[in-house]
């Protein structure tokens, strides 16, 4: 029986992937790296520990890496975060999940310093009381650590859990933890790039509109048809 939903935030509930890419590109430019928006954009969904070395060869744990990441955080919070919008009916989707009896745990590659702001911009900070961020794990997505920690917090098994995400990194992290994924294309990835998900929807509104026909429907569980 499905009991738990692991929620990604960026690109899934919040239209923020471009903002993250822009803040990284701007911070890297300040540190004299010739890396543009498009180079960064394909890596959004990974945490700093993966993204920064892939782009620059600099470890996120080095002094230089920490300075770059800190500056990225400043740019994101000051220039982009206050203006980010949730995807249509994101709060209503979360409310529907709660009313359906699911345990919800945020499983994000964002750090704790960004988490509260992201939840507020989505408008679900009053609905979510359990979250796992990059700071809770040794390695961020696509490593499985964040998903595993989220399962521990939920006291749920992989078999009774579903990841809701928007990137191949969400899917890969969940797969490595034995968890299935429902994907949304709202984060900018094409359906074929998300093909390892068990179901794909356009965005939060699309999933909400089709909730009763999705894996999340309690009626589908009663009939034993989970759609995979």
């Amino acid at each position: 029986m499905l009991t738990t939903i692991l929620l990604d935030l960026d690109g899934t509930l919040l239209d923020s992937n471009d903002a993250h890419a822009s803040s990284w590109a701007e911070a890297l430019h300040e540190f004299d790296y010739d890396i543009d928006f498009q180079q960064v954009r394909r890596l959004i969904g990974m945490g700093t520990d993966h993204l920064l070395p892939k782009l620059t060869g600099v470890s996120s744990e080095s002094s230089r890496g920490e300075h770059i990441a800190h500056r990225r955080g400043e740019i994101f919070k000051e220039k982009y975060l206050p203006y980010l919008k949730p995807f249509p009916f994101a709060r209503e989707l979360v409310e529907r999940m709660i009313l359906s009896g699911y345990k919800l745990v945020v499983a994000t590659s964002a750090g704790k310093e960004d988490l509260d702001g992201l939840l507020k911009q989505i408008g679900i900070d009053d609905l979510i009381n359990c979250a796992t961020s990059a700071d809770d794990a040794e390695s961020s997505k696509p490593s499985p650590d964040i998903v595993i920690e989220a399962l521990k917090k939920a006291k749920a098994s992989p078999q009774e859990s579903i990841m809701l995400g928007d990137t191949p990194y969400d899917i890969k992290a969940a797969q490595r933890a034995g968890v299935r994924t429902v994907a949304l294309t709202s984060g900018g990835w094409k359906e074929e790039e998300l093909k390892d998900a068990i179901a794909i929807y356009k965005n939060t509104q699309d999933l909400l509109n089709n909730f009763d026909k999705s894996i999340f429907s309690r009626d589908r569980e009663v009939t034993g048809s989970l759609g995979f």
Side-chain angles (χ1 to χ4, degrees), residues 24 33 38 73 94 119 128 159 165 168 178-180 187 194 199 203:
W24 270 114
Y33 290 99
Q38 291 299 336
V94 172
L119 291 172
I128 300 294
Q159 294 75 21
V179 175
R180 299 160 293 175
L194 304 172
N203 54 26

Side-chain angles (χ1 to χ4, degrees), residues 13-26:
L13 301 180
L14 188 67
D15 190 2
S16 55
N17 284 354
D18 284 354
H20 280 295
S22 293
S23 61
W24 270 114
E26 291 170 30

Side-chain angles (χ1 to χ4, degrees), residues 96 199 201 206-217 219-220 225-227:
R96 179 67 180 275
Y201 298 89
D206 185 25
L207 177 53
L208 181 61
N209 288 344
N210 290 282
F211 197 88
D212 289 334
K213 296 180 287 185
S214 75
I215 191 173
F216 301 113
S217 170
D219 290 337
R220 288 174 70 90
S225 175
L226 292 176

Side-chain angles (χ1 to χ4, degrees), residues 185-206:
T185 59
S186 50
W189 297 85
K190 298 177 181 178
E191 286 193 17
E192 54 265 32
E193 296 171 307
L194 304 172
K195 60 182 174 58
D196 289 332
I198 62 169
I200 301 173
Y201 298 89
K202 292 179 182 178
N203 54 26
T204 45
Q205 183 175 6
D206 185 25

Side-chain angles (χ1 to χ4, degrees), residues 115-132:
L115 185 57
D116 288 344
L118 295 174
L119 291 172
K120 288 178 181 177
Q121 289 302 121
I122 299 168
I124 59 170
D125 50 308
D126 61 323
L127 301 178
I128 300 294
N129 55 25
C130 190
T132 302

